[in-house]
Amino acid sequence: MTPRILIIAGSDSGGGAGIQADIKTVTMLGGHAMTAITAITAQNTLGVQAVLAVPTDTVIAQINSVVTDIGVDAVKIGMIGSAATAQAVADVLESLDVPIVFDPVMVATSGDTLADAETIAAFERLMGSASVTTPNLPELEALGGKDAVLAHGTHLMAKGGHAEGHWIVDELYSPSGRLRHWEGKRFDTNDTHGTGCTLASAIATGLGDGMTVEDAVERAIRFVRIAILSAPGLGGGHGPLGHALGVNPFDEIEG
């Protein structure tokens, strides 16, 4: 059965991150992507020019609409929009018995802020519902560090891309301790817009398809790295990934 993945996140008009990156990732990994859009952004490879939060009631209506008809096998949470939406989403998710991947988006790749202090404070409840939380290193620090995140009972995927050095180290922890780590050579590129969104959606797709946390994370890291290498080189700033991995799927179909 095709895994049904509900994405709760913001829209990126440039197509590199957010809902757009999530849909492409879920589709490429064999899932069916459904969305609850939390915010509309005017955004490109150079930065975020405008943000409009979607009313909380409309976000929840989107979630209820797909849950009651199509069903959900896993949830991915990205940009949440507002503290009120974070609290309302947490209320709804407490009734869903499916894996949840929470990417605590605070700042875009360009450096633009996407969550205020009140919204970040509301992340506590979302971490309590999450199967896996996937902060980068600055986000992990803002959340209080490794022990503070793990205290919520979630797995922690600590992304190492913001560290210095030629190698990136990603670490996976369960609530009881470290499980695994992955090391990869850092690519000399600016085409990294949407890496966090892509990774979290890839993990959610794996979990929704019945993979273990370790296997889902490992496949997600591999997908992101190949997508970086396949980047189309668009825009004048931090360019989008190549989610199609350099392949036109339609061209592969005969008949």
Side-chain angles (χ1 to χ4, degrees), residues 210-232:
M211 297 176 73
T212 66
V213 172
E214 291 185 44
D215 287 346
V217 169
E218 183 165 33
R219 185 179 71 164
I221 292 171
R222 182 167 175 259
F223 181 80
V224 170
R225 291 181 64 82
I226 297 173
I228 292 173
L229 292 175
S230 304

Side-chain angles (χ1 to χ4, degrees), residues 6 8 34-36 56-72 88-89 91-93 95-96:
L6 171 59
I8 306 171
M34 304 169 292
T35 63
T56 298
D57 288 349
T58 303
V59 175
I60 300 305
Q62 293 174 83
I63 296 172
N64 290 334
S65 182
V66 299
V67 168
T68 56
D69 174 37
I70 300 170
V72 177
V89 167
D91 288 340
V92 173
L93 294 184
S95 66
L96 293 182

Side-chain angles (χ1 to χ4, degrees), residues 13-248:
S13 59
I19 286 284
Q20 287 81 351
D22 297 324
I23 292 172
K24 288 182 253 187
T25 299
V26 171
T27 302
M28 285 299 295
L29 293 175
H32 173 68
M34 304 169 292
T35 63
I37 297 176
T38 60
I40 300 168
T41 71
Q43 187 175 167
N44 54 29
T45 68
L46 300 174
V48 180
Q49 292 79 45
V51 178
L52 175 66
V54 172
T56 298
D57 288 349
T58 303
V59 175
I60 300 305
Q62 293 174 83
I63 296 172
N64 290 334
S65 182
V66 299
V67 168
T68 56
D69 174 37
I70 300 170
V72 177
D73 295 305
V75 177
K76 182 262 177 157
I77 308 170
M79 180 184 178
I80 205 66
S82 70
T85 296
Q87 296 289 356
V89 167
D91 288 340
V92 173
L93 294 184
E94 286 174 356
S95 66
L96 293 182
D97 186 21
V98 298
I100 298 169
V101 179
F102 176 38
D103 181 21
V105 176
M106 301 177 192
V107 179
T109 300
S110 60
D112 294 282
T113 300
L114 295 176
D116 59 22
E118 186 181 5
T119 302
I120 293 170
F123 286 177
E124 298 281 328
R125 287 194 64 199
L126 294 174
M127 287 189 287
S129 298
S131 309
V132 186
T133 302
T134 64
N136 58 35
L137 295 180
E139 290 164 347
L140 180 58
E141 182 179 357
L143 293 171
K146 173 173 65 71
D147 291 340
V149 173
L150 293 174
H152 292 281
T154 179
H155 283 71
L156 168 64
M157 168 59 178
K159 301 176 294 192
H162 282 72
E164 299 293 330
H166 297 296
W167 290 84
I168 294 175
V169 180
D170 298 313
E171 297 183 294
L172 177 64
Y173 297 85
S174 75
S176 57
R178 185 178 180 187
L179 290 177
R180 285 190 62 183
H181 78 282
W182 292 266
E183 296 184 16
K185 187 176 180 180
R186 186 183 300 275
F187 300 134
D188 184 17
T189 178
N190 285 326
D191 293 332
T192 57
H193 184 49
T195 49
C197 305
T198 299
L199 181 81
S201 287
I203 295 172
T205 306
L207 295 177
D209 203 21
M211 297 176 73
T212 66
V213 172
E214 291 185 44
D215 287 346
V217 169
E218 183 165 33
R219 185 179 71 164
I221 292 171
R222 182 167 175 259
F223 181 80
V224 170
R225 291 181 64 82
I226 297 173
I228 292 173
L229 292 175
S230 304
L234 303 177
H238 294 281
L241 309 185
H243 288 90
L245 311 183
V247 176
N248 183 336

